[in-house]
Amino acid sequence: MIDSWNAIKKDEQERAIAVEVKVSDWFYRAILANELLTINRDYFQLRKPLERRLYEIARKHCGDGPAFKIGLDKLHKKTGSTSTLREFRRLVGKIVDADRLPDYAIALADDVVSFANRNGRDPPRSPRRRSPGCR
């Protein structure tokens, strides 16, 4: 996102205390077009890369809407996972069971992954889902 930066003011120890940053053109255009999504602070508490990627996909496709569904094989491709589909299914199942994604409930049933916004609506039900509903 950052193309370059320059220290425009330094302290006595030559540490930068004021910088000028040039963001990439695509990022700048996205800002002007209001095409950037906010990220919940709790996203940064997610420790597993797959959890983070699933949150990013839910945020993009579900957004503030009620729900988003995607086939497991397509989700596997979207995440860029190098694991086998069988292993990916197991990993997603563990994330479903943990139910830690901020803003979204996640469910897995019949190789379809469902994301539901936790804004008061009931999340999708699946046999793997053990945690309570939306907050």
Side-chain angles (χ1 to χ4, degrees), residues 26-45:
W26 71 264
F27 185 64
Y28 182 71
R29 285 191 304 271
I31 292 169
L32 292 179
N34 199 25
E35 293 175 347
L36 297 176
L37 294 172
T38 58
I39 293 178
N40 187 309
R41 282 191 160 150
D42 294 337
Y43 165 85
F44 300 101
Q45 301 300 314

Side-chain angles (χ1 to χ4, degrees), residues 54-99:
L54 292 176
Y55 174 83
E56 293 162 4
I57 290 168
R59 184 72 185 107
K60 178 181 180 192
H61 292 287
C62 191
D64 294 326
F68 166 69
K69 291 183 180 188
I70 185 170
L72 188 70
D73 56 336
K74 188 170 184 180
L75 183 63
H76 181 248
K77 290 176 184 142
K78 272 189 175 286
T79 62
S81 175
T82 58
S83 65
T84 65
L85 187 58
R86 180 179 177 177
E87 176 64 7
F88 184 74
R89 183 183 297 110
R90 187 187 72 76
L91 294 170
V92 170
K94 288 181 76 160
I95 292 169
V96 167
D97 291 344
D99 193 30

